[in-house]
């Protein structure tokens, strides 16, 4: 086999991922059979699984990238641009996420891999950002960043589900109300 | 055929619905084939489709009942018990909802039927409840009930998605923050 450069390797890997994303979007996770992956990517299973040993690896790599993109926006620019970025996701692809809910609930190994899809340290960076906002007085500080993150996780999921089902999430009012909920003036008096 | 009483008719209809729910929960909407519906319900397709002419009718009747149950709790007891009631839903069955997101987005006829699943007048009753709470000063009145309802729809969806994926939604912190977001003291000064 002729040698290929690192750039060529990277380009091929991207080609595989782009085709896999289209295939998952079109047929869902379960429906994306090896034959359909071959057709959509335009490579044999041998060539595809040279890059990603299983369909699950392909899927988790794509999920990790989206997660990274949204969370990076949150870390660098804040919550509002991150929530807006969910609306830029392909609804077809968001639907694929919803389709793995069953596996997440029933397959502990898959769930472990899914939970690990965020690059190491990313969650710590979100927490650090929130603690910084708390210290700066722009985020209420009577709740742990973990608790606020739990609430925001529900909001992100709700926006994603609306989007996947073709309903326009009422993003402006959601942003206004989330902002109000997290405003420092909301903090409850914690003295006994 | 021997005559059967109205009670017997109602009981048979319930039997069909209960089996269909199990079947959808186990196999998903697409996977709930006629053969599997027959097996799970224990009746022939003729007997099943005597009650519900299509699989879609079965599914929408089940969805309408859940919708009615949750929304009735909201109307009669308020938001908090309604959100708690989502946690009582079978995660398997919630997953079936997620599985129809694709059809909701791409099949206008299905979506129309889905949107019409709430009993007539129920949405008006929720709006009336919110307007009453606004007048009583327990719900902020600088937003339309429709806007507040849009935000709460996102929260409901997020809780349902967490639940379907087997993640425990952080319900107490969600309830606290929703309460704070909607508190009348949050209302923005609307003078120019």
């Amino acid at each position: 086999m002729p040698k290929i450069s690192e750039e060529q390797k990277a380009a091929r890997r991207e080609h595989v991922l782009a085709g896999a994303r289209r295939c998952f979007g079109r047929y869902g996770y379960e429906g994306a059979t090896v034959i359909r992956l071959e057709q959509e990517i335009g490579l044999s299973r041998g060539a595809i699984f040279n890059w990603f040993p299983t369909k699950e690896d392909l899927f988790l790599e794509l999920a990790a990238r989206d997660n990274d993109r949204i969370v990076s926006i949150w870390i660098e620019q804040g919550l509002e641009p991150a929530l807006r970025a969910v609306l830029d996701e392909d609804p077809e692809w968001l639907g694929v996420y919803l389709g793995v809910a069953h596996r997440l609930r029933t397959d502990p190994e898959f769930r472990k891999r899914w939970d690990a899809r965020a690059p190491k340290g990313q969650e710590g960076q979100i927490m650090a950002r929130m603690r910084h906002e708390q210290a700066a007085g722009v985020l209420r500080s009577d709740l742990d960043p973990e608790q606020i993150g739990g609430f925001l996780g529900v909001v992100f999921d709700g926006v994603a589900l609306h989007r996947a089902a073709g309903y326009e999430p009422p993003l402006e009012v959601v942003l206004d109300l989330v902002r109000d909920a997290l405003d420092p003036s909301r903090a409850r008096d914690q003295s006994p």
Side-chain angles (χ1 to χ4, degrees), chain A:
Chain A
M1 271 172 82
K3 280 198 174 172
I4 60 170
S5 69
E6 287 307 312
E7 287 78 28
Q8 282 172 314
K9 275 189 195 172
R12 285 193 190 177
R13 198 167 179 275
E14 289 310 308
H15 174 83
V16 169
L17 283 169
R21 179 187 285 259
R22 284 195 306 275
C23 190
F24 286 129
R26 182 166 301 171
Y27 302 109
Y29 183 79
E30 299 302 334
T33 59
V34 172
I35 291 173
R36 284 173 171 164
L37 283 164
E38 286 182 322
Q39 284 168 343
E40 199 67 54
I41 297 169
L43 290 171
S44 71
R45 60 195 72 191
I48 296 167
F49 294 120
N50 183 37
W51 298 103
F52 300 93
T54 67
K55 181 166 98 169
E56 191 175 295
D57 289 293
L58 265 172
F59 175 77
L60 286 169
E61 173 66 18
L62 288 167
R65 285 176 172 225
D66 287 342
N67 190 79
D68 182 45
R69 194 172 70 84
I70 305 273
V71 173
S72 294
I73 293 172
W74 189 352
I75 293 167
E76 287 155 25
Q77 302 171 45
L79 175 67
E80 187 171 324
L83 263 170
R84 290 190 194 281
V86 177
L87 297 194
D88 295 333
E89 291 281 350
D90 178 6
E92 207 74 60
W93 169 245
L94 284 175
V96 181
Y97 280 131
L98 307 187
V100 300
H102 174 89
R103 277 196 78 196
L104 283 173
R105 205 181 62 253
T106 55
D107 179 345
E109 196 53 42
F110 182 69
R111 180 172 171 144
K112 215 162 92 185
R113 296 192 71 195
W114 171 269
D115 288 339
R117 76 194 184 286
K120 272 198 201 318
Q122 228 182 21
E123 198 184 323
Q125 284 177 277
I126 292 181
M127 296 302 146
R129 185 187 167 100
M130 287 201 275
R131 272 191 294 273
H132 184 265
E133 290 175 345
Q134 288 178 325
V138 294
L139 179 67
R140 63 192 289 175
S141 50
D142 60 329
L143 294 172
D144 290 334
E146 285 76 13
Q147 292 178 296
I148 295 171
F151 166 70
L152 293 174
V154 166
V155 172
F156 269 95
D157 272 3
V159 169
L161 179 45
H162 263 61
R163 176 99 177 118
Y167 293 91
E168 196 61 43
L171 198 66
E172 299 312 319
V173 75
V174 167
L175 287 170
D176 278 350
L177 287 170
V178 166
R179 218 177 282 124
D180 287 346
L182 301 180
D183 194 84
S185 68
R186 285 287 81 192
R188 288 187 185 78
D189 184 6
Q190 299 200 308
S191 52

